[in-house]
Amino acid sequence: MEYTVLILVLPFLSFLLLGLGGKSIRPRIAGMAGTAVLAVVTVLSYVAAFEYFGAGRGADGKFPTLMPYDMTWLPLNETLHIGVGILLDPISVMMLVVISTVSFMVHIYSLGYMKGEKGFQRYYAFLSLFTLSMTGLVVATNIFQTYIFWELVGVSSYLLIGFYYTKPAAVAASKKAFVVTRFADLGFLAGILIYGYYAGTFSFTPPMHVLAAAGGMIPLALGLMFVGGAGKSAMFPLHIWLPDAMEGPTPVSALIHAATMVVAGVYLVARMFPLFIGFAPDVLHWAGYVGAFTSLFAAVIACVQTDIKRVLAFSTISQIGFMIVALGVCTSDNPHAGGLGYMASMFHLFTHAMFKALLFLCAGAIIHAVHSNEMKDMGGLWKCMPVTHLTFLVACLAIAGIPPFSGFFSKDEILAACFGFSPVTGTVMLLTAGLTAFYMFRLYYNVFLKPARTVGEAPQATTQVAGRSSALQAAGYDDTAPSSVPQTAGFAAAPCPAPQTVALDAAAPHAASHNAAPRPHEAPASMTVPLIFLAAVTCVAGFIPFGAFVSSNGEMYHAHLDMTVAVASVCVAVAAIGIAIVMYKGGKRTPALRRKGLYRAVYGRFYVDEVYQFVTHRIIFNCISTPVAWFDRHVVDGFMNLLAWVTHAAGHRIKGLQSGAVQQYSIVFLSGALALIIILLLI
């Protein structure tokens, strides 16, 4: 399977071609070239998957681990070195399929969504770099190669989130994502170095006796690695960068949230799972507790967000929490260590990638039609956007856990694993699943079913500060108050509302280039075809016997639906959907509820951003950085300036000794000689 190296080489060449070609390449040619390259990468990924899984299991009942390409890049000593290569096993092959599929759909979709944007070629170059980074991460042969591509993912996400570099909010969001994940990656790097020192290798499969001899250092190393994963996967309290990352183009949001950056932390724990379960089970369980809290925390916040992309952003945080908690509840108490939780986590990663990409791309089609991100500016769109409406509904049903859509099967396996670990954990995750159904159908109803705004009902104007909550800026704490830029016009009457005259979406600033936009209509084929494809996958992916391909120990795992958990989860989801429809029917909310303290706190995202601002500015900057800066300027610089002054003064005093006058040198020489003669005579 040596051809798999092309999966990395082709996106790299595309990045170089489009990045260096710049404006010399016509935008349409650049888009088609980037999309064609991803089409080839997708075909190669599918061929690799069919060939790998089609070859069957070995005599030990496991799929083999292949390294079609492996070389020593940096030898450190006789035993420790850093290698570069391609590793193919069940989870890496599965991830190749996920990444290539979603990336290919995003490339096609962007041909229509980003048409006419300044920097179109640059956009496709960044997409190629992002795809290269993620594919390189998942096929890495060792933890250090993983770290190299891990950082490339951070760089490419910074470039894509800040694609609209002339917009301050986008620049602030990209810097926020970069800085937050860099702090987390510091822990990741420390964990790698500790692991390499005590294990004597950067391999994912070191000698077990060496790890046993390392004692508590291996759990420490794995815990620090999870810190890096928590940053990339936006686990609490490192989640603050992800909602603001919505300032990037909407297709970028689909790519980041569905199959790439945010699942990197989940993939890291899954890749190191044998070490976690064998040497650091307590660390694994604590990761699960963090995932459970993050999942519930983000789901609660998503219930009151008004920007449709931010609802989906917090939904992603919550769903990633589901995947982490599924890994965290695994134990080694049975021969198939962590079988259900591990398989369920990877299964949900696969299904979530498809329906979350679908949700974001549908959101992009909606924004493309109405030129607003706010639910308050939408309504009645099911009539004029039938394809988007149906595909969005499919994704909502899937994420809510309604059978027979894919999310039902993967999420119920997670719930079953959680109840098997602890009734408390299972109950918390069941409640979170109910909240998921609630906020998704709140979103669905307000976008598609609620009556359209009539002329004269101008939405309330507020402005959101990049990187901070808009809770206190929305007068009256209206949960449907906009949080982007001021509005100037209302909506027309049914059947389809007229779009705003001011573009709100950071992902589509070109939409505001005219004052009289047409009524909302269905997106072009380049945007709807990916929606239809992803919706079709969402409908059938749940029936894939995932355990036959991916399991914790490589052997076949036969999953069985727990009917008790399944019935309970479906009942909770249906009840939550009904509550959402009843609460938001007519597009009204109880005014008193909007002014409750808890609601204000949730709308303000529990003020986590404000806490970070206080800690960084008032404590770190004022109490630590300012005194350190004073010490540096006055003590360190003062001491160095004193040395310079003493040297200068001494030089000024003795410079006469080096005047260059021969007569003066002669007098000094003779005087010195006479002085020596007198001293010798006296002695």
Side-chain angles (χ1 to χ4, degrees):
M1 302 180 71
E2 291 80 2
Y3 61 85
T4 52
V5 71
L6 294 175
I7 296 175
L8 299 181
V9 172
L10 290 177
F12 178 67
L13 294 178
S14 175
F15 166 68
L16 290 181
L17 173 65
L18 300 179
L20 297 178
K23 294 184 179 180
S24 61
I25 304 175
R26 294 178 58 186
R28 182 174 179 81
I29 299 299
M32 295 300 294
T35 304
V37 168
L38 255 294
V40 176
V41 169
T42 304
V43 170
L44 291 175
S45 298
Y46 276 80
V47 169
F50 279 111
E51 184 176 349
Y52 179 82
F53 290 118
R57 299 175 180 273
D60 58 355
K62 302 178 181 180
F63 287 108
T65 297
L66 306 178
M67 289 190 183
Y69 181 77
D70 189 28
M71 63 170 288
T72 298
W73 173 51
L74 186 63
L76 301 176
N77 55 40
E78 294 181 357
T79 59
L80 187 62
H81 69 276
I82 299 175
V84 175
I86 294 177
L87 182 149
L88 299 178
D89 67 352
I91 60 170
S92 64
V93 173
M94 180 271 293
M95 286 299 297
L96 284 179
V97 172
V98 170
I99 294 168
S100 60
T101 300
V102 174
S103 184
F104 183 42
M105 292 299 105
V106 167
H107 275 72
I108 296 174
Y109 183 92
S110 298
L111 292 174
Y113 190 86
M114 299 296 290
K115 183 179 180 180
E117 284 286 357
K118 183 180 180 181
F120 192 81
Q121 304 92 323
R122 174 169 52 91
Y123 171 80
Y124 269 89
F126 292 165
L127 286 185
S128 296
L129 178 62
F130 204 114
T131 305
L132 162 69
S133 303
M134 272 307 300
T135 52
L137 189 155
V138 300
V139 300
T141 59
N142 58 83
I143 191 64
F144 213 101
Q145 183 184 346
T146 299
Y147 180 75
I148 293 171
F149 283 98
W150 186 279
E151 294 305 309
L152 274 177
V153 170
V155 171
S156 51
S157 65
Y158 168 81
L159 296 173
L160 284 169
I161 295 170
F163 175 76
Y164 298 116
Y165 59 87
T166 58
K167 183 180 180 185
V171 174
S174 63
K175 290 191 294 185
K176 186 176 184 180
F178 191 81
V179 170
V180 172
T181 54
R182 291 294 72 69
F183 275 105
D185 291 351
L186 179 62
F188 187 21
L189 179 60
I192 291 174
L193 296 177
I194 294 173
Y195 173 81
Y197 180 80
Y198 284 95
T201 178
F202 292 117
S203 171
F204 297 122
T205 56
M208 293 296 105
H209 68 278
V210 175
L211 296 185
M217 299 309 295
I218 297 303
L220 174 62
L222 294 174
L224 290 171
M225 290 183 194
F226 175 71
V227 171
K232 275 286 191 292
S233 292
M235 293 291 97
F236 181 90
L238 301 173
H239 67 285
I240 58 172
W241 66 269
L242 192 56
D244 293 321
M246 297 302 96
E247 295 293 343
T250 302
V252 169
S253 302
L255 192 59
I256 291 176
H257 286 251
T260 53
M261 185 171 178
V262 295
V263 299
V266 180
Y267 179 81
L268 175 66
V269 177
R271 171 57 70 196
M272 307 294 289
F273 184 79
L275 303 184
F276 273 103
I277 200 74
F279 297 93
D282 291 338
V283 174
L284 189 63
H285 296 333
W286 275 106
Y289 298 144
V290 171
F293 176 81
T294 302
S295 186
L296 179 61
F297 175 84
V300 170
I301 295 177
C303 290
V304 300
Q305 293 300 299
T306 62
D307 184 315
I308 62 174
K309 290 176 64 178
R310 281 180 168 78
V311 173
L312 298 180
F314 281 102
S315 171
T316 298
I317 297 173
S318 182
Q319 296 303 303
I320 297 298
F322 267 91
M323 301 173 203
I324 292 291
V325 76
L327 292 170
V329 299
C330 294
T331 64
S332 57
D333 296 337
N334 56 75
H336 203 300
L340 179 58
Y342 183 95
M343 187 278 297
S345 178
M346 295 297 97
F347 193 17
H348 198 57
L349 188 156
F350 179 82
T351 60
H352 174 264
M354 302 305 165
F355 60 70
K356 183 51 64 69
L358 176 57
L359 285 169
F360 268 105
L361 296 184
C362 285
I366 295 166
I367 294 168
H368 186 269
V370 303
H371 312 313
S372 173
N373 293 28
E374 294 295 328
M375 285 188 285
K376 193 169 185 178
D377 304 331
M378 301 171 188
L381 295 180
W382 68 273
K383 298 180 181 179
C384 44
M385 303 182 71
V387 175
T388 303
H389 167 245
L390 291 177
T391 53
F392 193 87
L393 178 60
V394 166
C396 286
L397 291 170
I399 195 173
I402 302 298
F405 301 98
S406 60
F408 163 76
F409 296 95
S410 58
K411 186 177 291 186
D412 270 42
E413 299 290 358
I414 293 178
L415 293 177
C418 291
F419 275 107
F421 177 76
S422 164
V424 174
T425 305
T427 302
V428 169
M429 300 314 295
L430 181 62
L431 172 61
T432 305
L435 290 174
T436 302
F438 172 81
Y439 66 68
M440 286 309 304
F441 276 85
R442 167 183 175 265
L443 175 61
Y444 168 75
Y445 182 85
N446 280 297
V447 171
F448 291 102
L449 299 185
K450 79 173 184 181
R453 182 181 298 280
T454 58
V455 176
E457 293 182 298
Q460 182 181 350
T462 62
T463 302
Q464 177 169 315
V465 179
R468 295 179 61 87
S469 169
S470 60
L472 302 180
Q473 300 172 5
Y477 307 100
D478 185 355
D479 85 326
T480 54
S483 58
S484 293
V485 298
Q487 312 268 325
T488 59
F491 274 112
C496 292
Q500 298 293 313
T501 59
V502 176
L504 297 187
D505 183 21
H510 59 278
S513 59
H514 45 74
N515 292 325
R519 292 181 181 274
H521 56 81
E522 192 58 85
S526 62
M527 295 170 63
T528 55
V529 168
L531 303 184
I532 296 171
F533 175 83
L534 291 171
V537 173
T538 299
C539 290
V540 302
F543 298 99
I544 297 174
F546 201 78
F549 304 103
V550 177
S551 65
S552 61
N553 64 355
E555 300 175 359
M556 181 175 290
Y557 183 83
H558 298 283
H560 302 283
L561 193 64
D562 188 325
M563 291 306 299
T564 302
V565 174
V567 171
S569 67
V570 171
C571 290
V572 169
V574 171
I577 293 171
I579 293 172
I581 298 299
V582 170
M583 286 186 64
Y584 291 92
K585 187 176 181 180
K588 301 295 184 182
R589 278 189 55 84
T590 306
L593 181 61
R594 298 198 297 266
R595 292 172 173 80
K596 296 292 184 180
L598 178 60
Y599 182 88
R600 293 168 56 184
V602 176
Y603 190 75
R605 309 176 194 176
F606 293 102
Y607 310 115
V608 176
D609 283 271
E610 283 74 9
V611 171
Y612 270 105
Q613 291 282 354
F614 177 82
V615 170
T616 55
H617 287 75
R618 298 294 182 86
I619 298 178
I620 297 179
F621 291 170
N622 290 349
C623 300
I624 299 177
S625 300
T626 300
V628 169
W630 182 92
F631 182 84
D632 179 67
R633 287 194 302 269
H634 294 84
V635 178
V636 177
D637 286 355
F639 178 71
M640 299 307 296
N641 291 336
L642 176 64
L643 292 179
W645 180 83
V646 170
T647 302
H648 180 269
H652 182 74
R653 292 296 181 90
I654 65 175
K655 66 181 181 180
L657 297 176
Q658 297 290 333
S659 64
V662 177
Q663 297 89 339
Q664 182 181 354
Y665 291 170
S666 300
I667 294 173
V668 173
F669 176 78
L670 292 174
S671 300
L674 290 174
L676 288 174
I677 292 171
I678 294 172
I679 292 172
L680 291 174
L681 290 175
L682 292 176
I683 293 176

